[in-house]
Amino acid sequence: MTAFLLDHVNKVFGGRRREVNALSDLSLTVAQNQRWGIVGESGSGKTTLLKILAGLMPPTSGRVQFLDRDLDLNNRATMASLRSSVQMIFQDPRSSLNPRMKISDIISEPLRSPLLKGRTDVPTDMRARVDEVLSEVGLPLDSADRYPHEFSGGQRQRIALARALAPRPKILLADEPVSALDVSVRAQVLNLLNTLVDSFELTLIMVTHDLGVVRHTCDYVGVLHQGVLVESGPVSSVMNDPRQGYTRELLNAVPRLDS
Amino acid sequence: MSLLSITDLSVEFGHNRTRVLDQACLSVEPGQRLGLVGASGSGKTVLASAVMGLLPDNAYVMGSVVFQDQELTTMRDKEFSALRGQKMSMVFQEPMTALDPTMKVGRQAGELIGLHQQTSPKATRTRVEEIFDQVGLSHASRIAEAYPHELSGGQRQRVVIAMALVNNPDLIICDEPTTALDATVQAKVLTLLDEELSRVNAACLFISHDLGLVSRLCEDVAVIYAGRIVETGPTAKVFHDPQHPYTAGLVATANIDAVTPGERLPVIEDFFDPSQEVRS
């Protein structure tokens, strides 16, 4: 089964006079249990791609399938199954967690979606599920009654992960999950992400500009440049033998410690 | 004689006198580039702000900061203003917030020249275009007429760097100057900074949490942890043979390429127990 299939997807922003092709003729197949890293600079279309996968906006043209069914934003049943099986974590946990909600409410919010009412594949005992995911991400159980401001950046990203895991998704989308964290915390969050993806057999699609993170976490990589997927394939072959000038430029741009 | 010498500098904030910087000692020689690395909240920016005299009113400063034989901690605002932007300047992290959104960038840069010397508008204008040209902004005269929001992130950071360089300062403090930029843009801005620092022969205090950047740009490095400088020395030596366990942890976590993909990454706690008393 494929997790995601994109077939000649285009996304155009703007009207008659100033059109921007955020994604041009993008085709990509993500099989289940693969770990994809999508790299590219700002404005290359990384986030647009992720938003289309998450069902937050429709493509202008082209076909998107998830878990072998067509993604139709107007079909309630499709969206319900998308929301239960595809979850997302964002770059900055400072802005992706509501400061006025308790951690328990933040984590259980995806479970309370009206779309998911009556579905059997979604946990129903919310309190128990909150405790369960909190321990899975390595946070103390008394975190449930606290507020986001009481946590550090790394801990907040753990909370965001807990929220994403709550409905037992099959696919995890991550938008620059560690770039707002500093190096010392980055390692902890990446270790956790790896462990969770392993133990819950998740499909991971991670957008990042950090090629080191991709090399470490992913087994496939796609390089986006100005809305075009210029290169894609297994991490080892793309990174060791980049076919495109742009990929090479991106690889050389990363300052290394042992130079 | 050092260009900048910081001795036992401590900074405390608020009623509870929370100590953010604890007896920090650092010195920067003329033309030297010193990297300052540490985690968020370790006191990097507070140290920079203390040197630049930009701490808020609720900060208590103890110790001494001597820049070109002048004590800065007790200096009056008026004298400090004459120094800032002239002898020492700063490149901030976020170029969108460092620039005034309502003023054309050419005028902002010109303002900096006018504050420190008497020049005609025409001479100022020429100097601004000259420095914009120098930092690799093509069509300098057009860029000077642009507002910050009309420029890209890389262009904005070039403007900020141009403003820091415009009066040929002796010391430039860079506070995470490329964090807000993309990898490819970051590489270009870094090369620019490298060339310009050599050209004007300015010393640089380069604050970052990216050890790769620091090893690329700075010959020396200081490591700060919980407000204390735990280790100082030549960059190559500190990163290859760290003496303090915290530095060892920092180097290991940063060096993600050294780990076999998929294996567990080392974390600071493998090397260093934060609950232990920090040895200086």
Side-chain angles (χ1 to χ4, degrees), chain B residues 102-116:
Chain B
T102 66
M103 205 193 266
K104 290 175 180 170
V105 294
R107 220 183 114 206
Q108 292 188 51
E111 202 175 41
L112 236 113
I113 304 172
L115 276 174
H116 296 286

Side-chain angles (χ1 to χ4, degrees), chain B residues 167-184:
Chain B
N167 288 324
N168 293 320
D170 298 311
L171 175 69
I172 298 181
I173 298 179
C174 299
D175 188 3
E176 310 249 10
T178 59
T179 312
L181 307 175
D182 275 315
T184 45

Side-chain angles (χ1 to χ4, degrees), chain B residues 223-225 228-232 244 246-247 278-280:
Chain B
V223 181
I224 186 169
Y225 172 74
R228 289 194 176 202
I229 308 281
V230 293
E231 188 162 358
T232 317
H244 194 279
Y246 178 74
T247 317
V278 185
R279 287 171 287 127
S280 280

Side-chain angles (χ1 to χ4, degrees), chain A residues 10 12 16-17 19 24 27 45 59 81 83 85-86 90 103 107-108 122 140 159 165 186 191 197 210 226 250 256:
Chain A
N10 286 284
V12 183
R16 291 158 299 189
R17 293 176 64 199
E19 284 195 345
S24 310
S27 297
S81 115
R83 291 281 176 261
S85 54
V86 180
F90 300 88
I103 304 306
I107 293 176
S108 61
V122 170
I159 295 167
L165 292 176
R186 184 182 72 172
N191 281 339
V197 169
D210 191 335
Q226 297 181 349
L250 212 58
R256 289 209 191 344

Side-chain angles (χ1 to χ4, degrees), chain B residues 29-209:
Chain B
E29 307 302 319
Q32 187 194 9
R33 295 177 194 172
L34 178 69
L36 181 63
V37 297
S40 332
S42 58
K44 303 188 297 280
T45 300
V46 168
L47 187 135
S49 309
V51 174
M52 288 295 286
L54 295 174
L55 286 173
D57 288 340
N58 66 345
Y60 300 88
V61 182
M62 287 143 285
S64 118
V65 180
V66 177
F67 176 75
Q68 291 178 334
D69 299 328
Q70 291 172 287
E71 175 61 51
L72 298 186
T73 49
T74 52
M75 190 178 265
R76 292 216 307 274
D77 279 351
K78 204 175 165 193
E79 294 166 65
F80 222 134
S81 302
L83 210 62
R84 268 194 299 249
Q86 166 83 317
K87 295 287 180 200
M88 50 199 254
S89 59
M90 189 153 175
V91 177
F92 295 91
Q93 176 171 0
E94 206 357 285
M96 198 61 210
T97 44
L99 295 168
D100 183 341
T102 66
M103 205 193 266
K104 290 175 180 170
V105 294
R107 220 183 114 206
Q108 292 188 51
E111 202 175 41
L112 236 113
I113 304 172
L115 276 174
H116 296 286
Q117 46 192 288
Q118 296 285 343
T119 50
S120 68
K122 202 174 165 212
T124 305
R125 183 75 194 193
T126 316
R127 174 72 185 125
V128 166
E129 287 181 16
E130 183 187 88
I131 193 83
F132 277 9
D133 203 41
Q134 218 134 41
V135 297
L137 289 164
S138 44
H139 310 293
S141 53
R142 199 171 46 97
I143 299 266
E145 286 299 311
Y147 288 96
H149 75 266
E150 298 175 288
L151 305 176
S152 71
Q155 284 174 321
R156 280 197 288 261
Q157 199 57 298
R158 280 172 200 268
V159 168
V160 174
I161 291 173
M163 288 170 69
L165 288 166
V166 75
N167 288 324
N168 293 320
D170 298 311
L171 175 69
I172 298 181
I173 298 179
C174 299
D175 188 3
E176 310 249 10
T178 59
T179 312
L181 307 175
D182 275 315
T184 45
V185 182
Q186 165 172 290
K188 286 175 192 145
V189 169
L190 215 61
T191 310
L192 165 75
L193 204 57
D194 192 5
E195 287 166 0
E196 289 303 303
L197 286 172
S198 306
R199 192 178 60 81
V200 300
N201 196 27
C204 178
L205 180 63
F206 188 87
I207 297 175
S208 181
H209 64 250

Side-chain angles (χ1 to χ4, degrees), chain A:
Chain A
M1 193 149 62
T2 52
F4 270 110
L5 184 135
L6 291 108
D7 189 21
H8 300 290
V9 166
N10 286 284
K11 180 73 194 180
V12 183
F13 288 110
R16 291 158 299 189
R17 293 176 64 199
R18 287 192 60 187
E19 284 195 345
V20 179
N21 285 301
L23 291 177
S24 310
D25 201 28
L26 190 142
S27 297
L28 182 70
T29 308
V30 176
Q32 271 200 307
N33 298 328
Q34 285 182 341
R35 300 166 180 213
W36 276 81
I38 306 289
V39 297
E41 58 195 357
S42 318
S44 61
K46 300 187 301 260
T47 301
T48 305
L49 173 62
L50 222 49
K51 282 185 173 166
I52 289 175
L53 295 180
L56 297 175
M57 56 161 79
T60 310
S61 66
R63 196 161 60 112
V64 181
Q65 282 192 327
F66 81 100
L67 302 171
D68 294 339
R69 56 199 290 182
D70 278 316
L71 175 53
D72 175 4
L73 302 193
N74 299 319
N75 183 322
R76 220 182 137 82
T78 314
M79 290 311 287
S81 115
L82 182 82
R83 291 281 176 261
S84 69
S85 54
V86 180
Q87 284 291 321
M88 186 157 173
I89 62 169
F90 300 88
Q91 175 169 11
D92 186 1
R94 229 171 303 268
S95 52
S96 69
L97 303 179
N98 187 339
R100 299 179 57 164
M101 277 166 82
K102 282 184 180 168
I103 304 306
S104 55
D105 295 330
I106 290 175
I107 293 176
S108 61
E109 196 174 21
L111 302 174
R112 284 181 275 123
S113 162
L115 276 174
L116 300 188
K117 204 163 262 175
R119 282 183 73 96
T120 47
D121 54 344
V122 170
T124 42
D125 186 349
M126 286 182 202
R127 188 73 219 193
R129 184 62 186 149
V130 167
D131 285 353
E132 204 174 8
V133 287
L134 274 176
S135 62
E136 279 161 8
V137 300
L139 286 172
L141 295 186
D142 61 10
S143 311
D145 294 323
R146 291 157 69 187
Y147 288 91
H149 74 264
E150 300 174 57
F151 297 88
S152 69
Q155 287 173 321
R156 280 185 233 192
Q157 207 56 304
R158 285 173 197 264
I159 295 167
L161 264 169
R163 172 175 63 184
L165 292 176
R168 300 193 211 278
K170 298 186 181 67
I171 303 166
L172 184 63
L173 306 175
D175 190 0
E176 305 264 14
V178 291
S179 59
L181 309 174
D182 59 82
V183 237
S184 46
V185 188
R186 184 182 72 172
Q188 294 176 352
V189 173
L190 278 180
N191 281 339
L192 175 66
L193 186 67
N194 267 328
T195 316
L196 295 173
V197 169
D198 270 342
S199 52
F200 300 115
E201 297 175 340
L202 297 174
T203 307
L204 177 70
I205 302 175
M206 175 164 69
V207 157
T208 179
H209 64 259
D210 191 335
L211 290 159
V213 170
V214 171
R215 192 198 296 268
H216 183 261
T217 311
C218 303
D219 32 41
Y220 292 87
V221 62
V223 182
L224 269 178
H225 183 46
Q226 297 181 349
V228 179
L229 190 68
V230 293
E231 192 159 3
S232 67
V235 166
S236 51
S237 65
V238 172
M239 293 233 175
N240 299 332
D241 180 25
R243 302 251 165 246
Q244 296 288 329
Y246 179 70
T247 313
R248 235 166 285 146
E249 193 189 333
L250 212 58
L251 280 166
N252 291 335
V254 183
R256 289 209 191 344
L257 253 184
D258 30 0
S259 48

